[in-house]
């Protein structure tokens, strides 16, 4: 495999990182909204959040990519492939991160909220000044774990013709007829990105688990 082929794979790698970053950042933004709606006591906020989470957790990411890529143009949104993929990844991430953070919010001892209420803090202050910082710490291992899944999930973008790392590997393999070498390099690139994140997630989980040594 020559310089040009390696450069092409690196370009695909950059698109993989970019898609992951866009999907994760968008997932954080909308995931916070989903989590807050999910723990709301108001049914007209809680029920749509439950439906959103159920929809995107209950359907394959591949189908979500197809709907975004082929369905949005039917509604008049003429988007480039990367934008359609980014929208699908953002929606997918918002559902999973929203549910992760919902669990973390509800895992914070109720005494914390009751103490804040006794101090006279209003609802917004109780959530963002007392509960949210503790929930964020509790949710970090699962959030990092989902980031790894999202990074690997970007490989499905190849199905709609977008050239990220997996698709770039297929193209290079078809050109030089050395699939073991090419996909060995592609696999090494994925491993180089995913393993440090997985290792970090495991360390976070061990540090936050009582009774385990660091």
């Amino acid at each position: 495999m020559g310089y040009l082929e390696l450069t092409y794979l690196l370009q695909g790698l950059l698109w993989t990182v970019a898609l992951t970053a866009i999907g994760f950042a968008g997932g954080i933004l909308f995931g916070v909204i989903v989590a807050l709606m999910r723990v709301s006591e108001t049914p007209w906020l809680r029920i749509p959040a439950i439906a959103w989470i159920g929809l995107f957790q209950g359907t394959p990411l591949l189908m979500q990519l197809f709907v975004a890529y082929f369905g949005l143009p039917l509604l008049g949104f003429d988007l480039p492939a990367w934008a359609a993929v980014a929208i699908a990844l953002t929606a997918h991430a918002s559902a999973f991160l929203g549910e992760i953070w919902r669990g973390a919010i509800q895992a914070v001892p109720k005494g914390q909220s009751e103490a804040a209420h006794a101090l006279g803090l209003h609802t917004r202050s109780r959530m963002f000044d007392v509960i949210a910082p503790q929930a964020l710490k509790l949710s970090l291992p699962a959030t990092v774990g989902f980031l790894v899944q999202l990074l690997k999930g970007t490989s499905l973008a190849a199905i709609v013709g977008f050239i990220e790392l997996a698709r770039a590997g297929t193209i290079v393999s078809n050109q030089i007829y050395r699939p073991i070498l090419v996909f060995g390099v592609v696999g090494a690139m994925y491993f180089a990105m995913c393993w440090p994140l997985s290792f970090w997630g495991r360390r976070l989980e061990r540090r936050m688990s009582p009774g385990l040594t660091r």
Side-chain angles (χ1 to χ4, degrees):
M1 185 166 58
Y3 173 78
L4 292 177
E5 289 79 13
L6 183 58
T7 300
Y8 194 71
L9 291 180
L10 290 175
Q11 290 176 350
L13 173 64
L14 289 177
W15 271 113
T16 290
V17 173
L19 285 177
T20 303
I22 293 172
F24 192 65
I28 289 174
L29 176 62
F30 291 103
V32 169
I33 297 173
V34 170
L36 294 176
M37 291 174 63
R38 180 66 179 81
V39 298
S40 172
E41 297 180 357
T42 306
W44 64 269
L45 288 175
R46 187 174 65 253
I47 293 175
I50 293 173
W52 181 266
I53 292 170
L55 175 64
F56 285 95
Q57 287 193 352
T59 55
L61 176 56
L62 179 60
M63 190 202 77
Q64 297 163 20
L65 288 168
F66 273 127
V67 170
Y69 184 73
F70 295 107
L72 290 178
L74 296 178
L75 299 176
F77 299 99
D78 189 13
L79 301 174
W82 71 267
V85 171
I87 289 173
L89 291 176
T90 295
H92 179 80
S94 69
F96 279 85
L97 291 176
E99 184 67 1
I100 288 171
W101 296 335
R102 186 275 309 167
I105 290 171
Q106 294 182 337
V108 175
K110 290 185 178 180
Q112 298 291 320
S113 180
E114 293 170 354
H117 181 71
L119 291 173
L121 298 179
H122 53 75
T123 303
R124 179 178 297 180
S125 183
R126 289 202 304 269
M127 174 58 70
F128 290 102
D129 295 333
V130 178
I131 298 175
Q134 299 179 69
L136 176 62
K137 183 178 179 180
L138 292 172
S139 69
L140 272 178
T143 299
V144 173
F146 176 76
L147 175 59
V148 175
Q149 294 182 24
L150 186 67
L151 195 157
K152 292 186 289 187
T154 59
S155 62
L156 294 175
I159 302 296
V160 297
F162 186 77
I163 302 177
E164 39 63 67
L165 181 55
R167 177 65 175 170
T170 301
I171 293 172
V172 171
S173 176
N174 291 338
Q175 289 177 343
I176 66 175
Y177 304 106
R178 300 181 68 182
I180 295 179
L181 172 62
V182 173
F183 286 105
V185 173
V186 170
M189 289 180 174
Y190 275 113
F191 180 81
M193 292 185 292
C194 293
W195 186 82
L197 291 173
S198 297
F199 180 75
W200 181 36
R202 289 193 299 271
R203 282 183 59 86
L204 287 173
E205 187 173 6
R206 286 197 299 268
R207 292 179 63 181
M208 295 177 187
S209 298
L212 294 179
T213 58
R214 297 185 181 183

